[in-house]
Amino acid sequence: MSEIPEKASGGVVWQSSPPGSIYDYIRVASFSIGPDGLVEQWSRRAVDLFGVTAEEAMGKDPVEAFMPADQRERGHRRVREILDGKEWTGLVPFRIPGDDRPHGIAEMYVMPSETTTGERAALCIVVDVRALRRIETDLAASQAIFGQSPFGFLLFGTDLTVKRANRRFATVFGGSADDHRGRTVHDYLNLPEADRMTAALRSVLETGESVTDFEIVGAAPGSRDRRHWSINLYRVHSGSGRPIGVAGLGIDVTRRHNAAREAASARRNLALLNEAGARIGNSLDLEATARELLDVAVPGFCDLASVDLYQGLLTGDEAPPGRWGSSHDVGYGAGSAELRRVAFASAVSDTPLRTDEGHGPGGGCCATEPIQVGAVHRFPFNSPCAGALRTGRLRTVPGADGELVQSTLVVPMVAHDTVVGLVQFSRTKGSESFGERDRALAVELAARAAVCIDNARLYRREHERALILQRSLLPPGDPEAAGLDIACRYLPGTAATEVGGDWFDVIELPGHRTALVIGDVMGRGLRAAVAMGELRTAVRTLAQLDLEPAEVLSHLDEIARGLGAPIGAQQSRGHKSRGPELSEVYLATCVYAVYDPVTRRCTFANAGHLPPVLVEPGEEALLLDVPPGMPLGVGGEPFEEVEVELPEGALLALYTDGLVESRDHPLDEGLSAFRRALTDPARPLEDVCDRVLTSLETGHGEDDIALLMARIQGLPSEAVGDWRLPREPRSVGRARELARTQLKAWDLEALVDTVELLVSELVTNALRYGEGEIRLRLLLDRSLVCEVWDAGLVQPRRRRAKDTDEGGRGLQLVGLLSSSWGSRRTPRGKTVWFELPLPDGEGTAEPTVEQLLSMF
């Protein structure tokens, strides 16, 4: 019941209780029982408590209506006692009608009463025990939560002053809990934070919308440490729903805030490392890799950055740029080795910073003047930059007063214990200082870029070596041969090395003959190229012996079988013998052809290679029927030869399988397409090669491609002088006469004397040491070749004659006066030849008197 106000007249009026009275919580109900033991009155609270309307309760026996069956006898006894005038207080179970099970427990106070006629009745006051227990539990829980909570707890009134604080809050802000009554948030926080908190409290009180995780920053009394609190605010109501204040729960989240900052920093660093992995090293260019590093670092990691690389690394110096602690890095007096500024990036300026001390990446933390990109420079010996290069360790350099740069991380770029350069990361004033995580990230970024730069350096070195190897293994770009117009193409399947296992060669043989070679070592890359180089060298060596094509391939087969690594060498390294698989097996295919421009006949031998293609004038291209044979390295089978006469103007094509074989189509389709691409052989030979490569679907990159094409241009009959001489002494003079006449017909009078002398020597040797008929042949092309044939099998041998010898100096004379000479076997004997340059060419020097006299 509320206060009792007085009227102006002094009378008293009754006023109903305001919302939120205690009676709203305990739910007191009443009803009365008449003399007959039946319900006479039924209050509205009874309706709420028992769930039974007045119409349903009036005139009912309360014991029969509301008590369980097993309690009714006892209940009737109590009612009789009450009607006899006895008071009773106790707990009574009750049920809602229609439900056999107990529904609740009521605490009942029964008072005897009388009716107007003097009959005895009873007034029953009922309280729901559950409500009382809930109130007790709520009070205990409220006290436990508020008083024993490990978090700061405040209750603000509607005037936003503190009505109650718990012990935890008092522990942090001092005093006892009661000391904080009546205070406001301005007593605890600085003005900006207090205003924010006041606005939040007012909003919660007015709108009823809770605020969660409202973060404020402040410091506890007597402490300078900034603390972070997370505040949860919610409006508090009375039982009737009337707002009576705002409750605030505060949690110290300083550690969580710091951990969140650390986690954010770690995520940023991981994101930077992920970006660095994706963006750094996409090219094999040193300067591009340095720029990619700075693109990642600025502005995500720092405000300014620069990269310096050793000048020797950029110029291709084979020596390592620098190792930790080596004197190579820094000279005593001259400072560091020469470096070149290859990249600079800035989020605050597009040009190098100009500062008094030269700090920062623009001028270098160790330089007195700004260093421009592309400039070659040295760092002083005692500077942090030179020290970082010497030790291979990071240095932190603080910025000077009045400078834009706050601090700089000087990080050596180390790859495989080798210092390749230096990177500097700087942050300007106002940016967050470098932390330990930042230092670790700087080292990681520099190391990743250093590995990419070192890989680019190694690639460039290997690339240059591969190019040198390629140039040494392949013939010149425009090979020449007597009676042939030649064009060639080579495309390696491995772009990284630009050389593979395919090769071709054009070898000049005596008598203006030419050996055409094409081969393919199984496999790709540098290993195949090395095997190819060995086989090519062997082919050129065997060609100089002027062996038949089948003999050349037989020798190559033996060489290929000997190229593998010896089994014993591997066993000596601890490998157990497992049979022939431990020995490297080199297999190769090859076509070796010898073309004679005088007869226009070409002799082919094939070792498992694709057949040559011949295009005769006016005809379709066809595959020559050359027995394929076994690949080189297999052994056991002899090779066969096929001799083909090639018409004037015909086109001969030798090629490797990379030109006609692909995953997209079978070999037969590739060969047919190749033959169709050669339908117009009259075009310039270089154009024919280009047409073949552009029209075929070669699938280049899957295998190497080699193409060697030759157009037949035999020596004209007027360029050949061929005579047969009887085996008699006068043939020497006849040979000189024939040679003299032929040279004059060719307008080569300048060579008459030399040729007569050398022809006399060769014919004389044929008469003295040879057998059968003698044949003399002169060939004119880019040089003059003289050949003397006979049926003898004994090869001539050059020797130095003694002073007392009357002969033995003929071959010495031949070797002295000719540009080259030699002998070769023929099907019916041998041929001895010499070669002379034409007068308008680069002739050999005339022999001196001393050279001539030294032979006699």
Side-chain angles (χ1 to χ4, degrees):
M1 188 175 292
S2 67
E3 59 183 17
I4 304 175
E6 294 184 358
K7 278 192 173 184
S9 60
V12 176
V13 297
W14 291 90
Q15 181 175 330
S16 61
S17 298
S21 171
I22 186 65
Y23 297 107
D24 292 332
Y25 291 98
I26 62 176
R27 301 179 67 188
V28 178
S30 66
F31 64 91
S32 63
I33 300 176
D36 56 359
L38 303 179
V39 176
E40 287 187 342
Q41 293 180 341
W42 192 257
S43 68
R44 293 182 178 178
R45 287 289 181 91
V47 175
D48 296 337
L49 177 63
F50 295 107
V52 179
T53 63
E55 290 78 6
E56 295 173 338
M58 297 291 290
K60 297 284 184 68
D61 185 345
V63 174
E64 295 292 334
F66 305 115
M67 295 192 67
D70 58 346
Q71 299 290 332
R72 289 173 185 173
E73 181 180 353
R74 191 176 171 188
H76 285 299
R77 188 169 58 250
R78 292 295 184 188
V79 170
R80 285 194 298 271
E81 292 176 357
I82 292 169
L83 294 178
D84 289 341
K86 184 178 179 180
E87 294 185 359
W88 181 80
T89 302
L91 298 177
V92 179
F94 66 89
R95 65 179 179 85
I96 296 176
D99 191 347
D100 296 335
R101 293 176 298 173
H103 182 268
I105 300 295
E107 186 176 72
M108 184 177 294
Y109 175 50
V110 183
M111 298 174 290
S113 64
E114 292 183 356
T115 65
T116 57
T117 60
E119 294 178 299
R120 293 183 178 181
L123 176 64
C124 300
I125 306 298
V126 184
V127 178
D128 189 350
V129 174
R130 295 174 300 171
L132 294 176
R133 298 293 180 267
R134 280 198 300 269
I135 291 174
E136 293 175 356
T137 302
D138 290 347
L139 289 175
S142 175
Q143 181 62 31
I145 293 174
F146 195 84
Q148 302 173 21
S149 172
F151 309 115
F153 207 110
L154 289 176
L155 178 63
F156 295 91
T158 55
D159 59 353
L160 303 185
T161 60
V162 177
K163 299 302 182 183
R164 188 175 179 183
N166 70 344
R167 189 163 47 247
R168 175 60 181 167
F169 182 86
T171 301
V172 175
F173 287 92
S176 64
D178 293 337
D179 293 339
H180 294 277
R181 295 180 184 271
R183 294 184 179 181
T184 66
V185 293
H186 287 81
D187 296 320
Y188 305 105
L189 304 173
N190 57 38
L191 184 59
E193 291 294 280
D195 290 343
R196 289 180 59 239
M197 184 69 177
T198 300
L201 288 171
R202 186 172 289 109
S203 175
V204 172
L205 186 62
E206 293 175 355
T207 65
E209 295 182 359
S210 301
V211 173
T212 58
D213 203 17
F214 179 75
E215 188 169 316
I216 59 175
V217 181
S223 173
R224 294 184 178 181
D225 295 337
R226 289 169 58 88
R227 311 295 296 178
H228 295 261
W229 289 285
S230 175
I231 307 297
N232 296 316
L233 302 175
Y234 59 93
R235 192 168 66 181
V236 180
H237 304 84
S238 67
S240 62
R242 177 172 58 89
I244 60 175
V246 178
L249 178 66
I251 303 173
D252 190 339
V253 294
T254 304
R255 290 184 178 180
R256 188 178 73 183
H257 184 269
N258 294 339
R261 288 182 58 191
E262 290 292 324
S265 175
R267 286 193 298 270
R268 182 197 66 186
N269 292 353
L270 288 175
L272 278 174
L273 287 177
N274 183 59
E275 185 180 6
R279 298 180 60 181
I280 299 176
N282 290 325
S283 70
L284 291 172
D285 181 81
L286 302 180
E287 291 84 351
T289 301
R291 289 191 296 268
E292 290 165 355
L293 168 62
L294 299 195
D295 289 341
V296 172
V298 179
F301 176 68
C302 63
D303 301 314
L304 302 99
S306 65
V307 176
D308 298 282
L309 298 179
Y310 276 113
Q311 178 70 357
L313 181 143
L314 296 169
T315 56
D317 188 358
E318 287 293 328
R323 291 189 178 274
W324 296 359
S326 69
S327 60
H328 176 80
D329 293 332
V330 181
Y332 293 94
S336 69
E338 285 188 342
L339 297 105
R340 186 194 303 173
R341 176 66 50 87
V342 296
F344 170 78
S346 171
V348 296
S349 174
D350 293 332
T351 58
L353 295 179
R354 294 185 177 275
T355 58
D356 295 337
E357 297 295 327
H359 290 272
C365 71
C366 318
T368 57
E369 293 293 335
I371 301 172
Q372 301 292 335
V373 174
V376 178
H377 63 95
R378 296 176 183 268
F379 290 120
F381 177 78
N382 293 322
S383 64
C385 293
L389 290 171
R390 279 196 304 272
T391 61
R393 295 182 179 179
L394 176 145
R395 299 287 183 94
T396 302
V397 182
D401 295 337
E403 289 186 9
L404 179 62
V405 174
Q406 175 188 170
S407 63
T408 299
L409 297 181
V410 181
V411 189
M413 305 178 73
V414 183
H416 310 112
D417 292 340
T418 299
V419 180
V420 299
L422 189 77
V423 58
Q424 299 178 58
F425 303 108
S426 294
R427 289 182 179 174
T428 56
K429 297 293 176 61
S431 298
E432 186 178 357
S433 300
F434 287 115
E436 195 60 37
R437 288 183 180 272
D438 296 324
R439 294 182 179 88
L441 177 61
V443 172
E444 179 65 22
L445 288 175
R448 292 196 177 197
V451 170
C452 294
I453 287 174
D454 194 50
N455 289 340
R457 175 181 69 88
L458 295 175
Y459 167 78
R460 184 175 64 182
R461 185 184 67 184
E462 296 303 318
H463 181 70
E464 291 174 352
R465 290 178 177 178
L467 290 179
I468 294 173
L469 176 62
Q470 178 187 11
R471 297 187 186 105
S472 66
L473 295 180
L474 297 177
D478 298 315
E480 296 181 355
L484 293 175
D485 180 16
I486 294 178
C488 51
R489 295 290 186 273
Y490 174 76
L491 298 176
T494 304
T497 59
E498 297 197 11
V499 69
D502 291 13
W503 92 93
F504 62 89
D505 211 341
V506 179
I507 307 171
E508 294 188 46
L509 300 178
H512 286 317
R513 294 171 305 131
T514 303
L516 302 177
V517 189
I518 195 159
D520 182 1
V521 176
M522 295 183 184
R524 299 174 61 185
L526 199 56
R527 292 177 60 83
V530 171
M532 176 269 283
E534 296 184 17
L535 290 177
R536 178 178 179 269
T537 302
V539 169
R540 296 190 70 88
T541 302
L542 294 170
Q544 297 305 317
L545 298 177
D546 213 351
L547 301 176
E548 295 297 324
E551 292 183 82
V552 172
L553 293 185
S554 296
H555 288 293
L556 280 180
D557 181 58
E558 294 291 337
I559 293 172
R561 282 188 287 170
L563 288 179
I567 297 179
Q570 298 193 27
Q571 291 176 342
S572 65
R573 295 193 294 267
H575 295 278
K576 294 182 179 180
S577 176
R578 298 195 304 268
E581 68 273 14
L582 286 179
S583 178
E584 189 80 33
V585 177
Y586 287 92
L587 297 179
T589 62
C590 180
V591 169
Y592 186 87
V594 176
Y595 171 68
D596 187 342
V598 178
T599 62
R600 293 199 314 275
R601 301 187 70 83
C602 189
T603 304
F604 297 91
N606 190 353
H609 202 81
L610 294 173
V613 174
L614 179 65
V615 186
E616 297 185 6
E619 302 291 338
E620 292 184 356
L622 57 88
L623 298 176
L624 290 179
D625 186 12
V626 179
M630 300 298 292
L632 302 178
V634 175
E637 293 293 332
F639 297 98
E640 299 182 40
E641 294 181 358
V642 172
E643 188 176 66
V644 179
E645 183 174 351
L646 306 178
E648 185 75 18
L651 187 65
L652 179 66
L654 305 178
Y655 54 96
T656 57
D657 56 0
L659 183 67
V660 295
E661 192 173 20
S662 173
R663 298 176 183 175
D664 301 329
H665 56 75
L667 177 60
D668 290 343
E669 291 185 10
L671 289 173
S672 299
F674 179 40
R675 292 166 58 190
R676 289 193 299 269
L678 298 174
T679 54
D680 189 11
R683 301 173 61 184
L685 204 54
E686 294 291 337
D687 294 346
V688 176
C689 284
D690 294 335
R691 174 186 171 87
V692 168
L693 292 179
T694 55
S695 62
L696 295 185
E697 297 180 4
T698 60
H700 180 232
E702 299 176 6
D703 198 1
D704 305 329
I705 294 176
L707 175 62
L708 176 61
M709 304 187 73
R711 178 172 283 118
I712 306 303
Q713 297 173 350
L715 286 181
S717 58
E718 59 270 16
V720 179
D722 194 353
W723 307 275
R724 297 183 183 273
L725 303 173
R727 188 173 187 77
E728 53 188 31
R730 62 188 181 90
S731 293
V732 177
R734 178 59 178 164
R736 287 198 301 266
E737 180 183 352
L738 293 172
R740 184 188 316 112
T741 302
Q742 186 63 65
L743 291 178
K744 288 181 179 181
W746 289 339
D747 295 327
L748 297 178
E749 288 86 352
L751 299 179
V752 169
D753 294 339
T754 302
V755 172
E756 283 187 338
L757 177 59
L758 299 185
V759 165
S760 298
E761 291 294 334
L762 294 187
V763 174
T764 301
N765 282 346
L767 289 172
R768 181 176 300 178
Y769 305 109
E771 298 177 5
E773 186 181 39
I774 298 173
R775 182 181 178 186
L776 173 64
R777 189 166 74 169
L778 295 180
L779 306 176
L780 177 62
D781 193 68
R782 292 171 297 149
S783 63
L784 177 67
V785 174
C786 177
E787 298 176 333
V788 175
W789 305 46
D790 69 80
L793 299 177
V794 178
Q795 297 291 321
R797 182 173 61 88
R798 183 177 176 179
R799 65 182 181 86
R800 174 171 289 276
K802 299 179 181 179
D803 294 342
T804 57
D805 290 345
E806 296 182 359
R809 298 176 178 85
L811 292 181
Q812 284 185 264
L813 188 63
V814 173
L816 182 64
L817 296 180
S818 65
S819 60
S820 61
W821 77 279
S823 67
R824 68 177 186 274
R825 291 180 300 170
T826 64
R828 295 183 178 86
K830 67 176 181 300
T831 299
V832 183
W833 58 272
F834 66 84
E835 185 173 0
L836 291 174
L838 301 182
D840 56 350
E842 296 180 0
T844 57
E846 291 292 331
T848 64
V849 176
E850 289 77 9
Q851 288 175 323
L852 292 173
L853 292 178
S854 66
M855 295 185 295
F856 297 94

